[in-house]
Amino acid sequence: MGLVEGKESMINHVSILGCGWYGSALAAYLLKQGFQVSGSATSSEKVQSLQQDGINSFIIRLDDDQQSLNVDSGFWDCDALVIASNVKLAANSSYLSAMRNVADLIKSKRIKKVILVSSTSVYGDHNGVIDESTTCEPETTSGAVLLELEGLFQGIEGVQSTALRFGGLVGPGRLPGSFFAGKKEIANGSAPVNLIHLEDCLGVTALLLRQEIMPGKVNGVSPDHPTRAEFYTLAARKQHLEEPEFVNERLNWKIVQSSFLEEVGYEFRVNDWRSWLHSL
């Protein structure tokens, strides 16, 4: 990972709202990096698992009421909050209301920094190359809700808030070979993929936490964009699964560039998808 010139922020305690696939890995990673880390989960079993890994953990549910947010717990007494809840929840009608309650807590607890894990789905498909300056035109309900949430958190006075727009997530536990294995006549085979490996999700998040001043929006997408047909066919082959068959066409698509990461010299740990697939 490239070094960033300038001062680093004085962030010591990071709380992670939603310790799922990415959030749990982030908690362990930041702990090793010397941060004090708190995490949240929705079950006592998951909380116990996090506690065993040395992560101070709390049960917090994103229901539409303040009590489910465990308001009086030490979870909210942090310097920075990473909101890492499953982006699929954004299609749930109560999710936006719950996040408004979270925004109120951020303000009342005087949390300094917020990173909202968003998605490149907020852009829609532009049939071209896009970056953080591109106008967002979401085509899904969850994309529209995520865009609204980005504005909600960035509107909190005195708080630095970054919308971290990840591409498709891959890595341990999310190997892509099974996504289309054995399927036929899959549309849009010549469209480029926009993906990011878990290792880079963690590296980019830590980089942002160390910034003295965080940008408002950051795309987290690998600079390598093979076609869907090439990537997922090779993925299935390397996992010894039945290879999918794609239609050779390029319909709705985009290539997402991470201009901020290029500017600060971030070096992606997984920047060649063919090499990564061959290493499986």
Side-chain angles (χ1 to χ4, degrees):
M1 182 177 68
L3 296 178
V4 182
E5 295 182 357
K7 297 180 180 178
E8 292 189 350
S9 69
M10 296 299 293
I11 296 296
N12 297 310
H13 184 182
V14 180
S15 286
I16 301 170
L17 182 62
C19 285
W21 181 77
Y22 156 77
S24 294
L26 179 64
Y29 180 81
L30 293 180
L31 203 62
K32 292 179 181 178
Q33 295 288 313
F35 291 93
Q36 179 184 348
V37 181
S38 295
S40 83
T42 58
S43 70
S44 57
E45 292 81 9
K46 181 65 175 182
V47 165
Q48 290 174 3
S49 175
L50 291 168
Q51 295 279 16
Q52 289 173 357
D53 292 334
I55 298 159
N56 195 23
S57 306
F58 305 85
I59 292 180
I60 294 177
R61 299 186 309 276
L62 290 176
D63 299 330
D64 189 14
D65 65 81
Q66 287 278 21
Q67 186 175 357
S68 67
L69 294 176
N70 211 348
V71 174
D72 296 325
S73 72
F75 176 84
W76 303 99
D77 298 323
C78 58
D79 302 312
L81 175 68
V82 178
I83 301 173
S85 54
N86 191 329
V87 295
K88 292 180 180 179
L89 290 174
N92 188 312
S93 59
S94 65
Y95 185 71
L96 188 55
S97 296
M99 283 301 181
R100 291 193 181 103
N101 289 335
V102 171
D104 289 339
L105 275 170
I106 291 168
K107 185 175 181 179
S108 65
K109 295 290 186 177
R110 298 183 179 180
I111 296 172
K112 299 172 185 176
K113 291 187 174 184
V114 174
I115 295 177
L116 171 69
V117 176
S118 187
S119 166
T120 56
S121 67
V122 299
Y123 291 111
D125 287 323
H126 288 252
N127 292 347
V129 179
I130 66 174
D131 63 12
E132 288 90 341
S133 66
T134 301
T135 300
C136 292
E137 299 175 344
E139 299 167 351
T140 63
T141 299
S142 59
V145 171
L146 284 171
L147 186 60
E148 186 171 351
L149 288 176
E150 291 182 9
L152 172 67
F153 292 115
Q154 289 172 357
I156 304 174
E157 187 176 354
V159 175
Q160 289 191 46
S161 179
T162 294
L164 179 50
R165 296 167 175 169
F166 283 143
L169 306 175
V170 297
R174 284 196 180 187
L175 297 180
S178 59
F179 290 1
F180 295 107
K183 295 183 178 180
K184 313 294 183 183
E185 297 295 314
I186 305 168
N188 220 15
S190 296
V193 299
N194 295 282
L195 303 171
I196 185 170
H197 191 276
L198 178 61
E199 287 187 18
D200 285 306
C201 293
L202 307 182
V204 169
T205 308
L207 181 149
L208 288 172
L209 289 169
R210 292 192 174 99
Q211 296 293 297
E212 183 181 21
I213 300 177
M214 297 194 310
K217 47 199 173 185
V218 172
N219 293 335
V221 178
S222 166
D224 188 30
H225 304 274
T227 66
R228 280 158 48 93
E230 179 184 9
F231 177 81
Y232 288 107
T233 301
L234 180 58
R237 186 181 309 151
K238 298 306 293 185
Q239 291 178 238
H240 307 289
L241 300 171
E242 183 181 354
E243 294 181 15
E245 295 180 4
F246 287 83
V247 179
N248 185 19
E249 61 186 5
R250 197 183 216 194
L251 303 174
N252 300 325
W253 62 279
K254 58 180 175 282
I255 290 179
V256 181
Q257 292 184 333
S258 305
S259 296
F260 171 77
L261 298 179
E262 292 177 8
E263 179 183 339
V264 300
Y266 178 82
E267 297 177 6
F268 277 83
R269 299 166 189 180
V270 179
N271 59 10
D272 183 329
W273 291 115
R274 299 160 193 82
S275 295
W276 177 70
L277 289 170
H278 280 297
S279 72
L280 295 178

